[in-house]
């Protein structure tokens, strides 16, 4: 069970950072456009990206889960680093805001199915239901705290600072997944090698069984 606690620690940290980032992006988009309809359309488009889980859920079964998650967290950290550089350089416009947020959301659709597929591999069967409930609870708590903190700070903290904080949370998550990978990497690789043929029903099943979707 130690592995799941490490995983959840990293996940809750990155969830917190993501919510800070989301609030900051929407706040600055509103300041730039002063148009709630535009914000609604952009937000709806981001939310619609969840349908990509049909594809990414399938792909997550084809590769070691921890390696997929480490890759995504690394890419997210790099993305946030580039965005921090851009935003500190005052390149804040609708294209840089939407572009960074769009890429971040795409990467997120790969990370989430991999995490959900990893949990049954590192948790005893008799503890799986409890751990899944714990995972959902941690995510909700991190989202609420992130939204509260973001809403309180958005008028006083620059966009670049929000993005920098988000990038640091991805590094924390990456470090936690590296720890888990060192402990379960070999067993996980064997499990992946045993997967012969998977189809699109794996992705559809993920969407169906995920209450958030």
């Amino acid at each position: 069970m130690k592995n799941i606690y490490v995983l959840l620690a990293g996940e809750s940290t990155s969830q917190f950072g993501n919510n800070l980032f989301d609030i900051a992006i929407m706040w600055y988009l509103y300041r730039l456009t002063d148009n709630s309809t535009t914000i609604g359309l952009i937000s709806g488009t981001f939310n619609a990206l969840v349908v990509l889980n049909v594809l990414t859920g399938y792909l997550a079964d084809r590769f070691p889960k921890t390696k997929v998650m480490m890759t995504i967290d690394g890419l997210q950290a790099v993305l946030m680093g580039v965005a921090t550089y851009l935003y500190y350089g005052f390149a804040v416009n609708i294209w840089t805001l939407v572009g960074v947020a769009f890429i971040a959301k795409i990467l997120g659709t790969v990370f989430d199915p991999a995490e959900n597929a990893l949990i049954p591999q590192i948790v005893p069967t008799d503890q799986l239901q409890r751990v899944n409930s714990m995972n959902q609870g941690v995510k909700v708590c991190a989202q609420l705290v992130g939204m509260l903190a973001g809403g309180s700070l958005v008028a006083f903290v620059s966009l670049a600072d929000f993005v920098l904080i988000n990038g640091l949370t991805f590094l924390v998550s990456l470090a936690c997944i590296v720890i888990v990978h060192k402990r379960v990497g070999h067993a996980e690789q064997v499990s992946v090698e045993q997967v012969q043929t998977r189809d699109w029903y794996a992705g559809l099943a993920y969407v169906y069984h995920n209450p958030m979707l």
Side-chain angles (χ1 to χ4, degrees):
M1 289 293 291
K2 291 181 179 179
N3 292 326
I4 194 63
Y5 294 139
V6 174
L7 182 66
L8 291 182
E11 173 65 11
S12 61
T13 303
S14 63
Q15 283 283 344
F16 171 78
N18 268 333
N19 279 274
L20 288 179
F21 173 72
D22 288 344
I23 289 175
I25 288 291
M26 291 304 163
W27 170 259
Y28 276 85
L29 277 174
Y30 184 76
R31 288 180 59 182
L32 286 172
T33 64
D34 196 26
N35 189 321
S36 57
T37 301
T38 300
I39 302 304
L41 289 173
I42 293 173
S43 179
T45 301
F46 287 163
N47 290 331
L49 291 176
V50 73
V51 300
L52 291 178
N53 283 317
V54 175
L55 171 63
T56 56
Y58 168 77
L59 293 177
D61 262 344
R62 308 302 298 174
F63 303 97
K65 314 302 179 293
T66 51
K67 289 185 177 180
V68 171
M69 295 164 69
M70 287 188 294
T71 300
I72 295 302
D73 271 348
L75 290 174
Q76 291 274 31
V78 170
L79 174 65
M80 293 303 133
V82 172
T84 299
Y85 174 79
L86 290 175
Y87 298 154
Y88 272 132
F90 304 103
V92 179
N93 56 62
I94 190 170
W95 301 111
T96 57
L97 290 175
V98 173
V100 170
F102 183 80
I103 295 172
K105 295 295 183 184
I106 291 289
L107 292 174
T109 65
V110 181
F111 184 95
D112 292 339
E115 181 194 25
N116 285 317
L118 174 66
I119 289 176
Q121 295 188 14
I122 64 176
V123 173
T125 303
D126 61 339
Q127 297 292 322
L128 187 56
Q129 183 175 357
R130 182 172 73 89
V131 169
N132 281 331
S133 298
M134 186 189 309
N135 185 32
Q136 292 299 321
V138 166
K139 287 183 178 181
V140 170
C141 289
Q143 289 171 355
L144 290 175
V145 174
M147 291 173 65
L148 177 61
S152 302
L153 297 173
V154 71
F156 309 101
V157 178
S158 72
L159 176 61
D161 290 331
F162 273 110
V163 175
L164 177 60
I165 292 171
N166 193 29
L168 293 175
T169 65
F170 280 118
L171 292 179
V172 172
S173 178
L174 175 60
C176 291
I177 298 169
V178 168
I179 293 172
V180 174
H181 175 72
K182 288 183 178 297
R183 294 175 176 175
V184 303
H186 174 69
E188 181 192 9
Q189 183 65 42
V190 171
S191 174
V192 171
E193 288 172 353
Q194 292 173 346
V195 176
Q196 298 299 321
T197 303
R198 296 295 177 94
D199 53 31
W200 294 102
Y201 290 111
L204 292 173
Y206 171 79
V207 173
Y208 178 78
H209 291 294
N210 193 323
M212 297 296 291
L213 306 182

